Amino acid sequence: MIKRRHSRQRDLIYDYVSATKLHPTAEMIYQDLKEVSPGLSRGTVYRNLNQMVEEGRISRLPFQVERYDGNTHPHPHLVCESCGQVSDLCLDYDDGLDRRISQELGCQIRWHESYFYGRCAACAATAAAEG
């Protein structure tokens, strides 16, 4: 793990992200924290978030870049961490999961999305060949 300098703003950002279940954007974090820490800049927020992801302290969720899919039926995807390709997986959609979660939480889920992360067949083969 990379050792970073301790800073009040860094701790503030980490505490904010750790305390919420809302999966905030960097802009949301900046807007909420600038009132508490007027000297905080967007650059500081982005830089510290990136560093915390590199350190494994927080996770970055892949919702910033829009992609389009001609298949409008619910289905899972594989996201290749090597080449960035997103491909459909030929797996059955589990709508029973929606019902079970709805009953357990008392909410109404209409559908869900599943993303699997790893290497596509081409990148896995290349990695295996490289040894």
Side-chain angles (χ1 to χ4, degrees):
M1 182 187 287
I2 300 169
K3 192 86 162 172
R4 304 279 183 198
R5 246 180 65 219
H6 175 77
S7 78
R8 181 182 163 297
Q9 290 180 332
R10 183 175 171 78
D11 290 343
L12 190 63
I13 294 166
Y14 179 74
D15 290 346
Y16 179 93
V17 174
S18 296
T20 185
K21 300 281 187 211
L22 298 178
H23 304 86
T25 65
E27 184 63 22
M28 290 166 63
I29 295 167
Y30 169 70
Q31 291 297 327
D32 287 349
L33 294 181
K34 73 178 184 177
E35 296 174 18
V36 178
S37 182
L40 185 68
S41 70
R42 280 184 178 86
T44 298
V45 172
Y46 279 97
R47 185 174 48 261
N48 279 282
L49 289 171
N50 286 329
Q51 289 173 352
M52 286 184 255
V53 167
E54 288 173 13
E55 295 167 358
R57 294 179 70 196
I58 63 173
S59 297
R60 181 180 291 119
L61 302 177
F63 300 117
Q64 297 302 318
V65 177
E66 293 180 340
R67 289 182 177 254
Y68 300 91
D69 190 347
N71 181 352
T72 59
H73 299 289
H75 60 282
H77 295 91
L78 170 65
V79 179
C80 181
E81 295 173 311
S82 295
C83 70
Q85 175 182 318
V86 177
S87 52
D88 291 345
L89 293 176
C90 296
L91 299 172
D92 290 333
Y93 179 79
D94 182 7
D95 60 355
L97 180 61
D98 299 345
R99 287 191 297 276
R100 288 191 303 271
I101 292 173
S102 293
Q103 289 172 351
E104 183 178 320
L105 299 178
C107 59
Q108 294 178 340
I109 296 176
R110 294 182 303 115
W111 62 280
H112 67 273
E113 293 183 50
S114 297
Y115 294 93
F116 295 86
Y117 296 85
R119 289 187 175 145
C120 66
C123 290
T126 301
E130 294 173 351

